[in-house]
Amino acid sequence: MKPFTPDELRAKANQIRRRDLQAVFEAGAGHIGGEMSVTDILTALYFNVLRVAPQNPLDPNRDRLVLSKGHTACVLYVTLAERGFIPKEEITTFLQPMSRLNGHPNRTKVPGVETNTGPLGHGLPVAVGMAKAAKISGADWKTYVVTGDGEMQEGSNWEAIMAAAQFGLDNLTLIIDHNRLQQGARLADTNNLAPIAPRLEAFGWEAVEIDGHNMDEILAALSHEGRTPGKPRGIVAHTNKGHGISFMSDNVAWHHKVPNAEQYAQAMAELEEAAQ
């Protein structure tokens, strides 16, 4: 697939946000705040970075993407649909009885999903195993994993970070959706990890900090050009929960709140205006 320009990626991300908003509103459930914060990252990955083939989702030479913050499954489904892995019309079945589009992604049901996620702190350890497997077999495919910042409080992540440095997994990229909020509270009020980048560097990683809503910065950080051999890369993406929607932005209440009809209309209008 021909790479998208940054402007095309921004337009695609806005389109994905609108469809995600509609799906959560119609389903009456979801995790809209964290989905809005991670949309730009997923859009850049699926439309400009990942070497994947929707017509052959199990291609052994594909790149792997693990969405460790699996509660934001809806935006992953919308992105996979836009990329051609699943029919776009299937998004209407999100959370419906017998639908394969559950509240957390399932690799045995949804093409393009690499591993089941939801229990936070599991995705990065799995991704380390994937990256190590590629090294052992001499394969050149890359592994990417997206976590939340609250999720990084889990000790399993730091064990995985130590292992990745020990094994020299320079084929592994961790993107932390650093929106500063977790369920029910701010990161600063629970177990504050910030600043995160120095912690990654202390564990032997290469770390960069970016604006997680700036496509140029996202693409530059995800590039494998100029990376330090033998070091995994950690990208601390500074984002806003509920990004693009004024009353949701940086508001902890929107972790899994669902907009009412009036709020939905306002949110959709704001996203449509941003697309113009």
Side-chain angles (χ1 to χ4, degrees), residues 24 27-33 35 71 74 94-95 254-258:
V24 170
H31 290 81
I32 192 75
E35 289 165 4
H71 54 283
C74 187
F94 176 58
L95 295 182
W254 289 96
H255 180 78
H256 50 59
K257 188 177 178 180
V258 177

Side-chain angles (χ1 to χ4, degrees), residues 15-87:
Q15 180 183 355
I16 289 171
R17 277 192 174 91
R18 283 180 282 156
R19 187 64 189 92
D20 178 73
L21 171 65
Q22 180 186 355
V24 170
F25 174 70
E26 292 176 347
H31 290 81
I32 192 75
E35 289 165 4
M36 294 294 123
S37 68
V38 80
T39 299
D40 295 307
I41 294 165
L42 291 180
T43 302
L45 282 164
Y46 276 99
F47 290 90
N48 249 51
V49 176
L50 294 175
R51 184 176 63 186
V52 292
Q55 69 278 12
N56 185 15
L58 296 179
D59 181 350
N61 296 316
R62 72 193 183 280
D63 290 337
R64 273 70 165 174
L65 183 281
V66 175
L67 180 66
S68 189
K69 47 178 290 180
H71 54 283
T72 58
C74 187
V75 73
L76 175 63
Y77 299 147
V78 175
T79 305
L80 289 173
E82 288 293 325
R83 189 64 175 82
F85 282 90
I86 60 177

Side-chain angles (χ1 to χ4, degrees), residues 50-142:
L50 294 175
R51 184 176 63 186
V52 292
Q55 69 278 12
N56 185 15
L58 296 179
D59 181 350
N61 296 316
R62 72 193 183 280
D63 290 337
R64 273 70 165 174
L65 183 281
V66 175
L67 180 66
S68 189
K69 47 178 290 180
H71 54 283
T72 58
C74 187
V75 73
L76 175 63
Y77 299 147
V78 175
T79 305
L80 289 173
E82 288 293 325
R83 189 64 175 82
F85 282 90
I86 60 177
K88 291 183 180 181
E89 56 270 22
E90 189 174 357
I91 300 300
T92 61
T93 72
F94 176 58
L95 295 182
Q96 298 304 306
M98 306 307 293
S99 172
R100 61 179 177 171
L101 304 186
N102 298 324
H104 294 87
N106 188 322
R107 68 174 301 276
T108 66
K109 295 181 179 181
V110 184
V113 173
E114 292 293 346
T115 189
N116 296 24
T117 53
L120 299 178
H122 289 194
L124 180 54
V126 170
V128 168
M130 290 175 172
K132 180 62 173 174
K135 287 285 189 181
I136 291 172
S137 62
D140 65 351
W141 48 266
K142 307 295 193 297

Side-chain angles (χ1 to χ4, degrees), residues 21 77 87 90 97 99 134-135 148 150 152-153 168 188 195-196 212 240 245 271:
L21 171 65
Y77 299 147
E90 189 174 357
S99 172
K135 287 285 189 181
M152 293 305 295
Q153 296 166 348
I196 300 175
N240 290 313
I245 301 171
L271 291 175

